[in-house]
Short mmCIF file of all heavy atoms in Angstrom, two decimals:
data_model
loop_
_atom_site.label_atom_id
_atom_site.label_comp_id
_atom_site.label_asym_id
_atom_site.label_seq_id
_atom_site.Cartn_x
_atom_site.Cartn_y
_atom_site.Cartn_z
N LEU Y 164 -9.50 18.24 -4.51
CA LEU Y 164 -10.13 19.53 -4.76
C LEU Y 164 -9.59 20.21 -6.04
O LEU Y 164 -10.34 20.68 -6.87
CB LEU Y 164 -10.01 20.40 -3.53
CG LEU Y 164 -10.77 21.71 -3.51
CD1 LEU Y 164 -12.27 21.44 -3.60
CD2 LEU Y 164 -10.46 22.51 -2.27
N ARG Y 165 -8.26 20.25 -6.14
CA ARG Y 165 -7.68 20.87 -7.33
C ARG Y 165 -8.08 20.12 -8.61
O ARG Y 165 -8.33 20.73 -9.63
CB ARG Y 165 -6.15 20.93 -7.22
CG ARG Y 165 -5.65 22.21 -6.58
CD ARG Y 165 -4.16 22.30 -6.59
NE ARG Y 165 -3.69 21.67 -5.37
CZ ARG Y 165 -2.72 20.79 -5.26
NH1 ARG Y 165 -2.06 20.41 -6.28
NH2 ARG Y 165 -2.40 20.28 -4.10
N ALA Y 166 -8.07 18.80 -8.53
CA ALA Y 166 -8.42 18.00 -9.71
C ALA Y 166 -9.87 18.21 -10.12
O ALA Y 166 -10.22 18.29 -11.29
CB ALA Y 166 -8.14 16.53 -9.42
N LEU Y 167 -10.74 18.29 -9.08
CA LEU Y 167 -12.16 18.52 -9.41
C LEU Y 167 -12.39 19.93 -9.98
O LEU Y 167 -13.24 20.11 -10.87
CB LEU Y 167 -13.01 18.34 -8.18
CG LEU Y 167 -13.16 16.84 -7.70
CD1 LEU Y 167 -13.90 16.83 -6.35
CD2 LEU Y 167 -13.85 16.00 -8.74
N GLN Y 168 -11.65 20.89 -9.53
CA GLN Y 168 -11.82 22.24 -10.01
C GLN Y 168 -11.33 22.34 -11.49
O GLN Y 168 -11.87 23.16 -12.25
CB GLN Y 168 -11.02 23.25 -9.14
CG GLN Y 168 -11.67 23.46 -7.81
CD GLN Y 168 -10.82 24.28 -6.84
OE1 GLN Y 168 -9.58 24.40 -7.07
NE2 GLN Y 168 -11.38 24.76 -5.80
N SER Y 169 -10.40 21.57 -11.87
CA SER Y 169 -9.89 21.58 -13.25
C SER Y 169 -10.46 20.47 -14.10
O SER Y 169 -9.99 20.23 -15.21
CB SER Y 169 -8.33 21.51 -13.27
OG SER Y 169 -7.93 20.30 -12.72
N LEU Y 170 -11.42 19.76 -13.55
CA LEU Y 170 -12.07 18.61 -14.25
C LEU Y 170 -11.09 17.52 -14.66
O LEU Y 170 -11.22 16.91 -15.72
CB LEU Y 170 -12.88 19.09 -15.43
CG LEU Y 170 -14.05 20.05 -15.15
CD1 LEU Y 170 -14.66 20.54 -16.48
CD2 LEU Y 170 -15.08 19.37 -14.29
N ASP Y 171 -10.10 17.31 -13.85
CA ASP Y 171 -9.09 16.28 -14.12
C ASP Y 171 -9.50 15.00 -13.32
O ASP Y 171 -9.12 14.76 -12.20
CB ASP Y 171 -7.73 16.74 -13.64
CG ASP Y 171 -6.61 15.73 -13.98
OD1 ASP Y 171 -6.91 14.72 -14.56
OD2 ASP Y 171 -5.45 16.08 -13.67
N VAL Y 172 -10.37 14.23 -13.95
CA VAL Y 172 -11.01 13.06 -13.33
C VAL Y 172 -9.95 12.01 -12.93
O VAL Y 172 -10.02 11.43 -11.90
CB VAL Y 172 -12.08 12.46 -14.22
CG1 VAL Y 172 -12.67 11.21 -13.60
CG2 VAL Y 172 -13.13 13.49 -14.55
N GLY Y 173 -8.93 11.82 -13.75
CA GLY Y 173 -7.89 10.82 -13.44
C GLY Y 173 -7.13 11.13 -12.19
O GLY Y 173 -6.91 10.25 -11.33
N THR Y 174 -6.71 12.36 -12.05
CA THR Y 174 -6.01 12.75 -10.82
C THR Y 174 -6.89 12.66 -9.59
O THR Y 174 -6.43 12.20 -8.56
CB THR Y 174 -5.44 14.18 -10.99
OG1 THR Y 174 -4.60 14.26 -12.13
CG2 THR Y 174 -4.63 14.61 -9.75
N ALA Y 175 -8.10 13.06 -9.72
CA ALA Y 175 -9.04 12.95 -8.60
C ALA Y 175 -9.24 11.49 -8.22
O ALA Y 175 -9.29 11.13 -7.02
CB ALA Y 175 -10.36 13.62 -8.95
N PHE Y 176 -9.36 10.64 -9.22
CA PHE Y 176 -9.53 9.17 -8.95
C PHE Y 176 -8.31 8.63 -8.26
O PHE Y 176 -8.42 7.86 -7.28
CB PHE Y 176 -9.83 8.45 -10.28
CG PHE Y 176 -10.05 6.97 -10.04
CD1 PHE Y 176 -11.25 6.49 -9.54
CD2 PHE Y 176 -9.04 6.06 -10.30
CE1 PHE Y 176 -11.43 5.14 -9.29
CE2 PHE Y 176 -9.21 4.71 -10.09
CZ PHE Y 176 -10.41 4.22 -9.59
#
Side-chain angles (χ1 to χ4, degrees):
L164 188 61
R165 269 186 271 134
L167 290 175
Q168 288 171 343
S169 63
L170 296 175
D171 186 0
V172 177
T174 302
F176 181 78

